[in-house]
Amino acid sequence: MNQHSPGGLMIILGTFIVALMLSQIPLPRMLEWWRPEFVALFVIYWIMALPQRFGVGSAWIIGLLLDVLKGSVLGINAIALTLIAYCALLMHKRLRMFPLWQQALVIFLLIVANQLIFYWLQALAGTKADDLQFLIPAVVSALLWPWVFVLLRGIRRTFKIS
Amino acid sequence: MKPIFRGGLPRLSLLLLLLGALTLVIADLRGDSVRSIRSAISVILTPVQWLVDIPTGVADDISSVLIDRAALLKDNNQLRSNSILLEKKVQQMMILRAENVRLRELLNASAKIDDQVLLAELIGVNPDPFQHQIILDKGSEDGIFIGQPVLDAGGVMGQVVEVSLYTNRTMLVTDGRHALPVEVVRNGMRAIALGKGSHGELDITHVADNADIRVGDLLVTSALAGRFPYGYPLAKIISVERDPSRKFMIVKAKPAARLDNSRYVLMVGEAEQETSSMSEQPAAKATAGGDS
């Protein structure tokens, strides 16, 4: 616990800046529903890998940043991310044992929960979803999970963040 | 770095965080009290928005370097002929404007012809498909205020809904939560143009069954809500459907502005003007009452 590398926090923060940017890059209109939920994926990874350093509190702050960036009602991404972070925390030990494709299934469910909470709360502000398109990001995120996992694990090992 | 939440399952902190977030949600839905928090966080995030925009900017630069001579010449010629056309129009404008001022003087109406404009550049688009919003590179430092109209060369694009120090967020007229009072140029009929959350289409609501409205009519802002100045083009009617079983016609319009590919936009008006016009209203009413 007391051999945290000093730069670790900066690296984790850096990955989130990248995730926030990826959640903002413009996509062609055809693909606008196909954007993976990078921020949620990164939150789940860091919870799974370093639950003692990255917890629901950090997820809450990241969620707030995402709210401001997306222009959604302040706090709804925070709620969604905090809840899925808590779920990920509940099963992080099991999750680590799973092979990647099985992890991806769990990720799918977590992102579905994230999307449901987000759009349900967003509906309070007047923008309502009339079909299930908003679940597409869950599929894309699950498919992307193995790459995100390997990439972030690489970063974590290179910089020896623990 | 010490962990914020040590050991075990952080049930209590989860509860507190959720409560905190819910408070924020309710405060945000209820009023403007979280606006300052939002703009403060927005300032921190401004570099992220700039970074996201860099690739687009670089791509623009590269394509302007790689453009070939023939295309440039053609472009140039087109611009030149455009400019001649516009100059001719301006010549007429001068006379018309002078005449307008004279007539307004005769009518004792206040003359206001030119609006203050500020050029802004688009630096981001809201990734949420449900929200038609764009992010522009001018903020409260440049005198941008909430409710400020945004135009492009074609017409009205939308209005500012959120201002931080260096950026602002503009809601487009096609957003599902946007409504704008308009009038038909041909006959001055008033109507309201509602965004419906789909790109490139507006609904004109509550148009009586016998109203005189046709495909091709131009809608301009009517300045009735006091936010948009009078007479900027908003949209062209593309379909008018009369259904005897309904009380109103189903009228659809296509925005005149190029909502999804304008990189440079104009922000109209000044904050002082808006506040003065808001405070002017009761005063004007008072003087009108005094006159009669």
Side-chain angles (χ1 to χ4, degrees), chain A residues 4 21 23-24 29 33 52 57 60 65 68-74 79 86 89-90 119 122 128-129, chain B residues 1 3 5 9-11 14 17 21 24-25 28 38 41 45 48 126-131 169 177 199 260:
Chain A
H4 290 327
M21 280 171 61
S23 75
Q24 287 292 300
R29 181 145 306 149
W33 283 106
Q52 76 282 9
W60 190 82
L65 293 182
V68 173
L69 213 52
K70 275 184 165 179
S72 45
V73 179
L74 203 62
I79 292 177
Y86 188 75
L89 199 60
L90 279 179
Y119 282 107
Q122 186 80 310
K128 253 169 106 179
Chain B
M1 163 71 192
F5 303 105
L9 281 173
R11 289 210 187 88
L14 175 76
L17 290 171
L24 281 176
V25 170
D28 199 1
R38 194 187 272 275
I41 303 178
L45 287 173
V48 174
N126 194 329
D128 183 350
F130 280 119
Q131 301 198 40
R169 200 177 276 275
R177 290 171 293 171
H199 294 277
D260 44 3

Side-chain angles (χ1 to χ4, degrees), chain A:
Chain A
M1 281 285 257
N2 48 13
Q3 49 200 358
H4 290 327
S5 63
L9 185 74
M10 296 318 285
I11 303 287
I12 295 179
L13 207 69
T15 60
F16 276 108
I17 289 178
V18 173
L20 288 172
M21 280 171 61
L22 286 174
S23 75
Q24 287 292 300
I25 45 169
L27 286 184
R29 181 145 306 149
M30 268 167 57
L31 295 178
E32 67 179 355
W33 283 106
W34 294 76
R35 181 192 301 276
E37 289 291 315
F38 285 107
V39 177
L41 286 179
F42 280 39
V43 163
I44 296 169
Y45 175 80
W46 286 117
I47 292 240
M48 201 178 94
L50 305 167
Q52 76 282 9
R53 285 191 81 172
F54 192 92
V56 283
S58 323
W60 190 82
I61 293 170
I62 301 288
L64 214 56
L65 293 182
L66 193 58
D67 274 327
V68 173
L69 213 52
K70 275 184 165 179
S72 45
V73 179
L74 203 62
I76 62 179
N77 267 304
I79 292 177
L81 278 183
T82 312
L83 283 173
I84 64 162
Y86 188 75
C87 295
L89 199 60
L90 279 179
M91 51 187 169
H92 74 270
K93 286 187 182 134
R94 264 173 289 166
L95 212 49
R96 283 179 190 170
M97 295 298 133
F98 286 165
L100 273 180
W101 65 269
Q102 216 167 333
Q103 278 180 6
L105 282 182
V106 178
I107 300 300
F108 171 74
L109 291 178
L110 285 175
I111 306 286
V112 164
N114 179 58
Q115 295 295 94
L116 280 174
I117 298 167
F118 178 76
Y119 282 107
W120 180 67
L121 286 169
Q122 186 80 310
L124 293 178
T127 45
K128 253 169 106 179
D130 42 9
D131 46 25
L132 293 176
Q133 265 183 326
F134 65 90
L135 293 180
I136 298 175
V139 180
V140 186
S141 303
L143 292 177
L144 203 69
W145 171 254
W147 284 272
V148 170
F149 179 84
V150 171
L151 179 79
L152 288 179
R153 188 180 58 186
I155 290 176
R156 186 170 62 83
R157 287 188 179 158
T158 316
F159 295 99
K160 298 193 177 58
I161 309 167
S162 59

Side-chain angles (χ1 to χ4, degrees), chain B residues 134 147-152 155-160 170-174 178 180 228 234 257 259 266:
Chain B
I134 52 176
Q148 184 162 14
V150 177
L151 317 170
D152 78 349
V156 176
M157 289 188 84
Q159 58 178 302
V160 175
T170 293
M171 184 188 273
L172 298 178
V173 286
T174 48
H178 197 278
L180 185 62
F228 282 80
L234 171 75
L259 295 179
L266 296 171

Side-chain angles (χ1 to χ4, degrees), chain B residues 72-89:
Chain B
L72 272 178
L73 280 176
K74 198 177 144 209
D75 223 33
N76 217 332
N77 278 334
Q78 201 170 13
L79 286 173
R80 201 166 289 153
S81 56
N82 255 351
S83 129
I84 290 171
L85 273 178
L86 287 174
E87 266 167 25
K88 182 191 140 258
K89 276 191 186 160

